[in-house]
Amino acid sequence: MGYRVNSHRCKSDLLIERLNMDARSIELVVNGRFLTQEVTGVQRYGHELLHAIDRILPSRPGLSVSVVCPVLNGEAPVLKNIPIQQRGRLQGHAWEQFELPRFAWGKVLFCPGNTAPAVSLIGGQRVLVTVHDLSYLYFPEAYSRAFRATYGFLVPLAFRCADRVVTVSESERISILKHYPGVGPKIVAIPNGGLANDVLPKLEGSKRDEGHVLYVGSLSKRKNFPRMLEIACALAKKKGYRFTFVGGTAGGLVESASHVPEESRELVKFVGQVNDGGQLIELYKKASLFMFPSNYESSGLPPIEAMACGCPVLTSDIPALRERCGDAAIYCDPYDTANITSQIEQLLEDKALLATLSAKGRERAQLFTWNRCAQSTLDLVAPQ
């Protein structure tokens, strides 16, 4: 599924010329459409990266940054150095495609949520796009036909015409290149951060609840939720372990809870989506083990968050999570129920190993910060 490089837009000399522009003349507009969306992984990236850019912007003299977004239903994020402009009458893809180009024209446009305006890409505007993954290709059954058609047009267009493309891990960069080899000269892997800087002081204290297993993420097949729920119900009955699931929609929670046998319902809990950083940290700090046997990840935020809180991690033996977690986690086969179950049992019964993983995890988490992610991203716009 390759493509022919558009020579009049993607010549290497044009790219070099643009990347060497005087930083003092650069105005960066962030596509703030993600501020109107429910917070999942992509939106979390947008929020955390925006706050990190706001923190480090004083160290980038001459570079100005603003956010343009549709009219928000709630309050806008509080930023010190970046103005947020709510403009236009539309929402969603329509706003991004038809109104954003007018508001951002003549400036560098950064789109952190997979897609960018076609007019901006084709029309010669300097555009930086983060493509988190190609899950619409990997798991087509999980997406509507309209979604696949939209992404099937906009993502390849970004690969063809954007100045630079960011993805969130080296393993995902390699995967993208298998589908779109022509994007090679312009795509770069910049790892996500972990916990936000403002919650780091809250990490100390709290006694862990023995036999308490935590999961944070969507309640979806791609995340291996049905298998996790089966394991949780079995181990709650067999061992009396407690399981807490964070994530999902209201309807999904009701449906999931209905599948928990009556005798296990006091031990298998669903708390819904948690967007408050302090509340999430308390959950990480109290759990004995964090399980994340996802079938697929392009990067994976929750394992690093758990590690930062000293919570030992059991996760899938897949490339992105190996890259992310290194030797600070225990790995399992996400497709083998017996393997995941035995790993949970062995870990919860081995206090020494849990303590070792906790220490290694804290050290590993320090490698992934949003400030570092922001610095590397801004370097693509205005090299220091």
Side-chain angles (χ1 to χ4, degrees):
M1 295 178 64
Y3 56 80
R4 181 175 294 179
V5 174
N6 186 330
S7 60
H8 71 87
R9 278 285 299 131
C10 302
K11 290 180 179 179
S12 60
D13 57 345
L14 177 61
L15 182 58
I16 292 171
E17 178 183 343
R18 286 179 170 181
L19 292 178
N20 287 328
M21 290 172 62
D22 186 345
R24 290 173 297 181
S25 68
I26 294 178
E27 295 180 82
L28 177 68
V29 171
V30 178
N31 175 355
R33 181 186 164 202
F34 67 89
L35 296 175
T36 67
Q37 299 170 325
E38 181 182 351
V39 179
T40 59
V42 171
Q43 294 74 30
R44 173 75 186 283
Y45 167 91
H47 282 273
E48 298 294 357
L49 187 57
L50 180 59
H51 281 279
I53 291 173
D54 185 57
R55 286 192 296 270
I56 69 172
L57 192 58
S59 69
R60 315 286 298 218
L63 174 65
S64 65
V65 180
S66 61
V67 177
V68 176
C69 65
V71 175
L72 303 176
N73 288 326
E75 295 183 0
V78 178
L79 303 172
K80 293 182 179 179
N81 303 297
I82 299 176
I84 296 179
Q85 304 170 22
Q86 301 181 46
R87 304 185 67 180
R89 299 180 178 180
L90 303 175
Q91 292 285 330
H93 279 296
W95 176 86
E96 182 179 77
Q97 294 301 314
F98 301 117
E99 293 191 309
L100 175 60
R102 184 170 74 253
F103 304 138
W105 199 256
K107 303 174 183 178
V108 182
L109 176 62
F110 172 42
C111 297
N114 292 312
T115 60
V119 169
S120 300
L121 290 166
I122 296 171
Q125 185 174 4
R126 191 176 168 207
V127 181
L128 170 68
V129 183
T130 299
V131 176
H132 295 256
D133 57 54
L134 300 179
S135 56
Y136 71 97
L137 288 181
Y138 309 150
F139 306 97
E141 70 283 354
Y143 299 92
S144 68
R145 182 177 298 178
F147 185 100
R148 296 197 306 270
T150 300
Y151 272 57
F153 170 70
L154 291 176
V155 172
L157 186 65
F159 288 156
R160 186 161 59 247
C161 297
D163 283 281
R164 299 302 297 267
V165 176
V166 174
T167 193
V168 292
S169 67
E170 182 61 24
S171 59
E172 188 59 30
R173 188 186 73 86
I174 292 170
S175 181
I176 288 172
L177 288 174
K178 291 178 181 177
H179 292 270
Y180 297 97
V183 77
K186 65 172 70 174
I187 190 169
V188 60
I190 300 178
N192 292 335
L195 286 174
N197 283 34
D198 59 348
V199 300
L200 293 178
K202 304 175 184 177
L203 296 183
E204 298 303 323
S206 284
K207 183 178 179 181
R208 298 196 180 277
D209 298 333
E210 191 167 330
H212 183 189
V213 182
L214 175 68
Y215 166 77
V216 176
S218 65
L219 309 184
S220 66
K221 290 182 179 179
R222 195 182 83 175
K223 297 288 187 179
N224 212 8
F225 171 70
R227 182 173 279 109
M228 282 189 281
L229 182 58
E230 176 188 349
I231 291 168
C233 293
L235 285 176
K237 180 178 180 180
K238 176 184 176 182
K239 294 280 192 175
Y241 296 155
R242 292 175 50 228
F243 290 81
T244 299
F245 290 92
V246 177
T249 61
L253 293 178
V254 172
E255 182 179 351
S256 298
S258 69
H259 285 83
V260 178
E262 183 68 33
E263 67 269 18
S264 300
R265 288 185 181 172
E266 289 300 313
L267 298 174
V268 179
K269 297 293 186 180
F270 300 90
V271 299
Q273 185 74 26
V274 175
N275 293 324
D276 178 77
Q279 183 182 352
L280 191 59
I281 282 196
E282 288 305 311
L283 290 167
Y284 282 128
K285 286 166 61 176
K286 290 183 178 180
S288 297
L289 179 66
F290 180 74
M291 66 170 179
F292 199 73
S294 178
N295 293 327
Y296 166 78
E297 294 292 326
S298 58
S299 178
L301 292 174
I304 294 298
E305 293 176 338
M307 288 180 178
C309 298
C311 185
V313 171
L314 171 67
T315 192
S316 303
D317 192 359
I318 58 177
L321 292 174
R322 280 278 182 182
E323 178 182 339
R324 189 87 163 149
C325 300
D327 67 351
I330 297 296
Y331 295 90
C332 62
D333 180 348
Y335 299 100
D336 188 336
T337 301
N339 178 253
I340 300 170
T341 301
S342 65
Q343 293 277 35
I344 292 173
E345 290 184 277
Q346 291 173 30
L347 281 165
L348 290 180
E349 293 171 5
D350 191 336
K351 301 298 189 294
L353 179 55
L354 288 176
T356 298
L357 288 173
S358 178
K360 283 187 174 183
R362 289 182 188 276
E363 183 177 354
R364 181 75 181 178
Q366 294 176 14
L367 299 177
F368 302 96
T369 71
W370 287 108
N371 278 15
R372 188 171 299 163
C373 180
Q375 291 281 14
S376 297
T377 302
L378 291 183
D379 283 345
L380 298 177
V381 176
Q384 287 189 319

